[in-house]
Amino acid sequence: MPKVFLSYSRSDTPFVEELHRRLMRDGVDCFYDQESIAWGSNWVLELEKGLDECDSIVFVLTNEFISSKWAELERTSVIADDPDGARKKVRPLFRGACELPRFLKSIQSIDVSTDEKFEQAYPKICAELDGTLREDELSKDRTMLPPVVQLPRRHRMPYRSLGGDFAGRIEALWGLHDLLLQSDTAVVEGIGVVMGAGGLGKSQLATEYVHRFSGHYSGGVFWCDADQGLPVVISQIGEAANVAIDGLLPVEQQCEQLWRELSQLPSNVLIVFDNFPEEIALGPWLPIGANIRSLVTTRRRDLTRYPRVSLNYLSDDEGLELLNSGERKFGPEAIAVVRGLGGLPLALELARNFLNLRPTLSIEALLEEMATLGDMEVLQVFETHYVDELPTGHVKEVSATFQLSWNLASAEAQKMLKLIALLAPTAVPRCLIHRALDDEAGSRLSDPVDESIAELARLSLVDLDEEYDPQLHRLLAGFVATKIDDDDELRRLAVNVVSDELSRVTDEHDTQAYSDLEKMVSHGVHFLESRFIDAEQAISIAGYIGWLHEEHGRYRLGEQYRRAALASAEQSFEAGHPTIATRQSNLALVLQDLGELEAARDLLRAALASDEQSFEAGHPTIATRQSNLALVLQDLGELEAARDLLRAALASAEQSFEAGHPTIATRQSNLALVLQELGELEAARDLLSAAHASLESKFGIEHPSTRVVKGNLDQLLTAINETAK
């Protein structure tokens, strides 16, 4: 495919952004610096590479372009490659009045000095660059769904489009687009007889909007799980947008930093706040930036100051369209099913799949079976708890539809569904399911877990995210929960597996855990908020989650969960218990990273005093506390106290480990740095020399620890030499 280099002045960014969007849509591969140069790349080298690889270069001619030094570099570079213009490498677009350089005067340009002239000229521009003119992504026929389009390069979109199976919400989809074009924020809320109706497809509508209208947001589309809190939202968007967020800042300042970075992008950005929680003000969350739009899905009804799209239950025609989106097609007789289920999309989707899997079952027979099941006592628990989530007057019929789908599932699939229902209403990693159900992954052609997930997806009992991990709708999770006994062993198993998976964060050799565990966090948080875990499990899970956040540089979130672990320990054990001391120490270390040194010092002093009561003098645990406290005291400038603690910690290490052990070298190095600050240079030199020799012998000269100590030693020797002079 030919590649076109877009050369322009920053002042013409809006025009070039639209030109780039259209050319890419029409099959012309473009080098556009805002999109083609990755974060962290060498800008000059990437521009040079882009010029070399492109078949032609489009100059957007204005006075600003002519006077730009960067544009001059690009012009002279391409002229050197095609001095006589025989290859037609130079393609000028005349955007504004300007004095052309001599070499450009002989090259035919196209006048796009007004938007009208650009519209008239665009078909020729497209054809000359070997593109194929296509109708824009958005058809003007608002009775039709826009097609699914490619997501922008910067995006976080965990859910897939339903494609042609999306039915019944065409008007709402276009209405949502209109609202977002007219304002900065649109709120999609469920509206039924009662506040917070579930199963109406709020998140699915947002998903379809992202996949079908993302061409209007080439700056990026970022889906975030608002119910997990603002710090998680900042992390999700920041990582997907390649924005480096300072995790040491307070959350409010992190948020400001994120919006500031996104607002500087030259094109529109869409943020989706999915499942925005109740009783939290929306305003402080919303981005600041003329190019940023926000789409909010919520069950709340009180966000009246923002433009809204209210989803009602499906009409007869819309419901019939949804039923007919499957393999079987039905006539007006199926409207009875739509009305029987109150137009609830979730229930209608289940009914559609049930009918597809029972091809001989008539509409009349389905209604009779639903009526029979609706009287089952086993469904009354679900109906009682979720009566406000279901269409008024149709609770029994909807419950019966859930039961019908449940009955179709195999025993293995039902067990898996129970497990998923016990977890958070987010995607469940398959590795967790494998461990919980004690199923090792089989061959690529025969895996029991994969087969059960595929079965549940066919029944529409689970959705699959972009990584094909299953997710259960909240209403269905509530229904499945009625099938689980309070003392069900599966519940205990689920907690243990989540805890075990999260514990991988403590293994520094398990590098895969760094990414694998991101999906596991929401399930850990879910159990922390439940009544099904004991104190020790809560302490462990909170600690692991805090650790994981710290590994990702999310220190404020790390602090939050370290505090939760400490609070659980203090409630569960008597004062002075070693578990409390461990949690005090863990919290202190993240506070040290956050610069809250006095609070870290006080916690470490308490932990040290506790451990001195619990263990014999010289115990490794005491030495660790002494070392950690000493480093905080060093940061606070309390050098003598730090020195004394580090000497004690070093003496303990020398008693506990063989000569040359890395722990001894670490303690020697830490003590040496404090001694250096105190002016005891020779003693510091001897310790660093011993530490370096030990680490070089153990790990080799290129190991990071060896190199750090060697650097410190070289600096110290330089200081000693200068002092001697």
Side-chain angles (χ1 to χ4, degrees), residues 128-149:
E128 290 285 340
L129 295 174
D130 293 331
T132 302
L133 192 64
R134 295 184 176 94
E135 194 172 339
D136 211 344
E137 290 95 337
L138 301 183
S139 168
K140 295 181 180 179
D141 184 358
R142 291 187 166 225
T143 65
M144 301 289 291
L145 279 176
V148 174
V149 297

Side-chain angles (χ1 to χ4, degrees), residues 546-555 558-559 562 586 590:
W547 193 327
L548 182 64
H549 284 309
E550 292 160 34
E551 288 291 311
H552 283 268
R554 302 187 289 257
Y555 296 106
E559 176 195 3
R562 294 295 195 184
N586 291 342
V590 71

Side-chain angles (χ1 to χ4, degrees), residues 395-677:
V395 174
K396 291 186 178 298
E397 291 85 349
V398 170
S399 303
T401 307
F402 290 1
Q403 183 66 43
L404 284 171
S405 297
W406 170 267
N407 291 344
L408 278 181
S410 65
E412 293 78 11
Q414 288 180 353
K415 184 177 181 181
M416 180 180 295
L417 210 54
K418 287 182 181 181
L419 171 69
I420 296 174
L422 291 171
L423 301 168
T426 58
V428 180
R430 291 182 184 230
C431 63
L432 189 153
I433 298 173
H434 274 290
R435 289 195 59 179
L437 300 183
D438 198 26
D439 280 325
E440 294 295 332
S443 72
R444 299 181 67 179
L445 299 179
S446 178
D447 185 326
V449 165
D450 286 349
E451 290 171 3
S452 291
I453 291 174
E455 177 186 346
L456 293 173
R458 284 195 302 273
L459 292 169
S460 288
L461 288 169
V462 298
D463 293 321
L464 302 179
D465 72 356
E466 62 177 356
E467 295 176 337
Y468 295 93
D469 288 331
Q471 178 173 350
L472 186 60
H473 191 281
R474 294 169 190 268
L475 280 181
L476 286 171
F479 169 78
V480 176
T482 64
K483 309 291 185 181
I484 305 171
D485 298 330
D486 283 342
D487 60 347
D488 196 321
E489 185 177 346
L490 189 62
R491 192 187 306 279
R492 293 190 293 274
L493 178 63
V495 175
N496 290 335
V497 170
V498 168
S499 181
D500 288 346
E501 279 292 301
L502 287 170
S503 71
R504 292 171 55 194
V505 72
T506 64
D507 183 358
E508 62 181 16
H509 301 294
D510 186 358
T511 55
Q512 188 62 35
Y514 189 81
S515 57
D516 282 355
L517 297 185
E518 286 291 87
K519 275 189 176 180
M520 214 71 67
V521 169
S522 60
H523 302 296
V525 172
H526 174 74
F527 282 128
L528 288 177
E529 297 171 349
S530 74
R531 59 183 177 85
F532 301 116
I533 60 175
D534 59 37
E536 291 190 11
Q537 288 172 324
I539 294 168
S540 296
I541 289 175
Y544 296 144
I545 293 174
W547 193 327
L548 182 64
H549 284 309
E550 292 160 34
E551 288 291 311
H552 283 268
R554 302 187 289 257
Y555 296 106
R556 292 294 174 184
L557 276 169
E559 176 195 3
Q560 174 184 331
Y561 286 98
R562 294 295 195 184
R563 288 191 183 279
L566 175 57
S568 294
E570 290 174 334
Q571 291 175 2
S572 306
F573 299 99
E574 294 182 358
H577 193 279
T579 299
I580 296 177
T582 298
R583 302 306 165 181
Q584 289 172 323
S585 179
N586 291 342
L587 174 58
L589 295 180
V590 71
L591 291 176
Q592 181 183 9
D593 289 332
L594 288 166
E596 300 178 23
L597 299 178
E598 289 82 0
R601 175 197 60 199
D602 296 343
L603 282 167
L604 285 169
R605 281 177 172 165
L608 175 57
S610 174
D611 287 331
E612 288 173 338
Q613 294 295 317
S614 301
F615 303 102
E616 295 181 357
H619 192 279
T621 299
I622 294 177
T624 298
R625 301 285 185 261
Q626 290 170 327
S627 182
N628 289 340
L629 175 57
L631 295 178
V632 172
L633 293 176
Q634 181 183 6
D635 289 342
L636 286 167
E638 301 179 30
L639 299 179
E640 289 81 2
R643 175 197 61 200
D644 296 342
L645 285 167
L646 286 170
R647 280 176 173 164
L650 174 57
S652 174
E654 290 172 338
Q655 291 294 319
S656 301
F657 303 101
E658 294 181 356
H661 193 279
T663 300
I664 295 176
T666 299
R667 301 279 164 77
Q668 289 171 324
S669 177
N670 290 341
L671 176 56
L673 296 179
V674 172
L675 292 176
Q676 182 177 355
E677 287 191 62

